[in-house]
Every structure is written in structure tokens, then in C-alpha cells.
């Protein structure tokens, strides 16, 4: 009985630690070359975040967002700036900021090196608005996100973002 109990305890401890590990943990992002090599995984992570609903219990989604952020801070091929606009639009809602980060990475990788910073920002907010207005994504638009969606639907997203950048 002691052997079975010890084995069961070992399995429980091992599985608890396994849930905290991520498939991204073994991807190195310390050099520009490593960041370049990781771009396909970053695209997959961005697609995953963008295609899954907000769920605070989904650790795979949280790990994907962390991986994208780590890549963004290490890549020399793209320049990402999170200005005050994101704070004003999302009220620092970490779930929405995570989706926006995934949008930035996804759009940048789709367009490739040399993507215009304003084009990147505009299209990332466009993607965020589309994400937030889809009821399947477990987000009820309110406040500034509701205004962001309205601006997108009226074709005035650029003007809306300019008012938030002041």
C-alpha cells in the first residue's frame, strides 16, 4: 500500500508541475537569429490566441501570450510600441491587451519586415475590434471597446484612434 500511495503522490506532484510548463519553454529567444527562427511558432501562437475565446483558466492561451511578448521584446526585425492608446481603449484589461499583442504580432508577421508602424497599429486595432464584436469570444463590448467597434463599423477607426493618442 505504501508503494501505491507513494506512486500516486509522485504522479499528482508531477502532473501539477507539468501543467505549469509550456510548449514554448524550450524555444530560445535570446538572439535575433533565434527570434527569426521562432517566427512560425509566434504565428501559430498568435493565431491560437486570436482564434480562442477569452478564458482566464486557459493556461495554453496565457502561455502563448507570454511567448509572443517575449518574442516581441527580442526581435530586431520588427518594432512594436504600445502607446497610451491601448491603455485608454482597454482600461488595462490584461485579456484584451493580450489579444491586441497577438494582433500586432500576427499582422506584422503576415506583412513582413518593413511594415509601416501606423499601418500595423491601425490594422491591429481593426483585428481587435473584430475579435471583440464576435460573441463567440466571451467578451461583452462596453466602454471604449464599444466605441472602437462603432468607429470600425462606420469606417472611422483611424480618426477614433487619433483622438485616443492625444
Amino acid at each position: 500500500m505504501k508503494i501505491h500511495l507513494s506512486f500516486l503522490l509522485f504522479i499528482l506532484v508531477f502532473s501539477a508541475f507539468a501543467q505549469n510548463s509550456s510548449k514554448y519553454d524550450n524555444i530560445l529567444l535570446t538572439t535575433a537569429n533565434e527570434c527569426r527562427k521562432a517566427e512560425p511558432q509566434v504565428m501559430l501562437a498568435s493565431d491560437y490566441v486570436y482564434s480562442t475565446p477569452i478564458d482566464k483558466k486557459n493556461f495554453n492561451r496565457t502561455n502563448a501570450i507570454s511567448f509572443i511578448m517575449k518574442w516581441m521584446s527580442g526581435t530586431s526585425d520588427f518594432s512594436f510600441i504600445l502607446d497610451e492608446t491601448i491603455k485608454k481603449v482597454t482600461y488595462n484589461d490584461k485579456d484584451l491587451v493580450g489579444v491586441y499583442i497577438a494582433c500586432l504580432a500576427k499582422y506584422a508577421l503576415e506583412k513582413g519586415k518593413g511594415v509601416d508602424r501606423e499601418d500595423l497599429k491601425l490594422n491591429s486595432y481593426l483585428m481587435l475590434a473584430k475579435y471583440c464584436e464576435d460573441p463567440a469570444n466571451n467578451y461583452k463590448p462596453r466602454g471604449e471597446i464599444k466605441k472602437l467597434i462603432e468607429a470600425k463599423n462606420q469606417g472611422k477607426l483611424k480618426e477614433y484612434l487619433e483622438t485616443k493618442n492625444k
Side-chain angles (χ1 to χ4, degrees):
M1 182 69 175
K2 287 183 183 179
I3 293 172
H4 295 291
L5 189 58
S6 298
F7 181 71
L8 182 60
L9 184 61
F10 172 76
I11 295 295
L12 287 173
V13 169
F14 181 75
S15 65
F17 282 110
Q19 288 179 355
N20 290 331
S21 67
S22 166
K23 64 182 178 181
Y24 304 111
D25 289 346
N26 296 324
I27 301 173
L28 297 175
L29 298 172
T30 53
T31 66
N33 194 38
E34 289 170 346
C35 287
R36 241 175 255 114
K37 286 181 183 178
E39 287 177 5
Q41 288 86 11
V42 174
M43 181 58 99
L44 288 172
S46 298
D47 286 339
Y48 177 71
V49 171
Y50 193 71
S51 66
T52 57
I54 291 174
D55 178 3
K56 294 181 187 317
K57 296 178 184 174
N58 184 339
F59 295 108
N60 291 327
R61 195 170 189 281
T62 302
N63 290 334
I65 292 167
S66 295
F67 172 68
I68 295 165
M69 289 172 50
K70 186 175 177 184
W71 172 80
M72 288 171 86
S73 66
T75 185
S76 60
D77 293 335
F78 300 96
S79 176
F80 301 98
I81 296 175
L82 297 178
D83 60 14
E84 291 295 312
T85 307
I86 191 66
K87 284 184 186 179
K88 293 175 183 175
V89 171
T90 66
Y91 296 116
N92 282 330
D93 180 329
K94 70 177 187 158
D95 293 317
L96 288 183
V97 173
V99 173
Y100 179 69
I101 285 169
C103 292
L104 281 169
K106 181 174 172 52
Y107 189 79
L109 288 170
E110 286 173 353
K111 289 298 176 180
K113 284 185 188 180
V115 63
D116 178 68
R117 203 176 269 175
E118 288 302 311
D119 183 45
L120 176 63
K121 180 178 176 177
L122 178 66
N123 283 287
S124 295
Y125 278 108
L126 177 65
M127 291 171 67
L128 178 65
K130 288 179 183 179
Y131 180 91
C132 290
E133 71 183 342
D134 184 350
N137 288 321
N138 292 342
Y139 185 79
K140 180 159 175 45
R142 59 193 177 280
E144 288 300 319
I145 289 294
K146 196 170 186 177
K147 292 177 185 177
L148 177 80
I149 293 168
E150 289 170 4
K152 175 198 76 78
N153 292 337
Q154 295 170 1
K156 297 181 178 183
L157 184 58
K158 186 175 182 176
E159 293 83 357
Y160 170 81
L161 292 173
E162 286 171 356
T163 66
K164 297 298 162 198
N165 207 18
K166 294 178 182 177

